[in-house]
Amino acid sequence: AENSHYNSLQVGLHSQIKKDLTLQVAYTLSRSIDPATSFGGDLSNVSNPYDRAYDVGASFADRTHIGLVNFVYDLPIFRNNKNRLLHGTLGGWELSGIVVMETGLPLNINLGGAQGSNAIPNATNRPDLTGKISYPSQVTEWFDPSAFATPALGAWGTLGKGAVRGPGRDNW
């Protein structure tokens, strides 16, 4: 059986600022933890059959920070114009926008080759974490691979499940 844990702090504000501007702000700080080895909760493959806790870590759908801002601004141009044509065609327009910002999803960093499974069917090994994970944020290198090393032959890597995050999203 799989046990998942989800905790969050959710804060929101919705306000009418003056009479022309409506503003909404929302923020979620969350953490989701489970032992699944793939997106969707597949427990048929256990990475390390000698240690059930080896796969307990950030869920593959976990986003630590999610922020949202949206607004609607009622443009005052030609709002009170007596000319019906100007008022009907150029009056009553609104300007709106939405901003969504999210941290990246956890990545599953695995080893390939002979140590990829430590010669155990359906097992999956991860590298050793030898330094601090850094994110240069380049198109060709989202995280710095020099923080990882191949574990000793037959050993299981020390990198935790979901310890590396993919790129986040800023959508304006």
Side-chain angles (χ1 to χ4, degrees), residues 58-60 62 104-109 126-127 129 132-135 142-145 147-148 159-167:
S59 301
F60 292 114
D62 179 50
L105 293 170
L107 300 176
N108 198 15
I109 309 295
R126 293 190 289 269
L129 181 61
K132 185 173 174 14
I133 300 170
S134 63
Y135 299 91
W142 182 252
F143 60 90
D144 184 5
F148 310 108
L159 178 66
K161 174 191 155 206
V164 178
R165 294 285 176 152

Side-chain angles (χ1 to χ4, degrees), residues 8 19 21 49 57 82 90 108 112 130 145 153 155-156 171:
S8 71
K19 71 175 189 175
L21 179 62
K82 302 288 186 212
L90 299 176
N108 198 15
T130 59
L153 192 59
W156 297 92
N171 190 5

Side-chain angles (χ1 to χ4, degrees), residues 29-135:
L29 170 66
S30 68
R31 180 154 184 167
S32 179
I33 299 171
D34 68 29
T37 57
S38 66
F39 193 78
D42 177 22
L43 288 177
S44 62
N45 293 326
V46 176
S47 296
N48 181 350
Y50 304 112
D51 182 6
R52 288 184 56 153
Y54 189 71
D55 286 329
V56 174
S59 301
F60 292 114
D62 179 50
R63 290 200 185 266
T64 307
H65 303 281
I66 300 173
L68 165 78
V69 176
N70 66 56
F71 68 91
V72 178
Y73 179 62
D74 185 12
L75 296 172
I77 301 170
F78 297 107
R79 179 187 305 156
N80 299 323
N81 196 301
K82 302 288 186 212
N83 185 317
R84 293 174 116 190
L85 179 64
L86 285 176
H87 178 75
T89 57
L90 299 176
W93 286 84
E94 296 177 336
L95 178 66
S96 63
I98 301 172
V99 178
V100 178
M101 297 168 281
E102 302 174 324
T103 53
L105 293 170
L107 300 176
N108 198 15
I109 309 295
N110 295 322
L111 292 174
Q115 288 184 268
S117 67
N118 277 337
I120 299 173
N122 296 326
T124 305
N125 200 357
R126 293 190 289 269
D128 279 336
L129 181 61
T130 59
K132 185 173 174 14
I133 300 170
S134 63
Y135 299 91

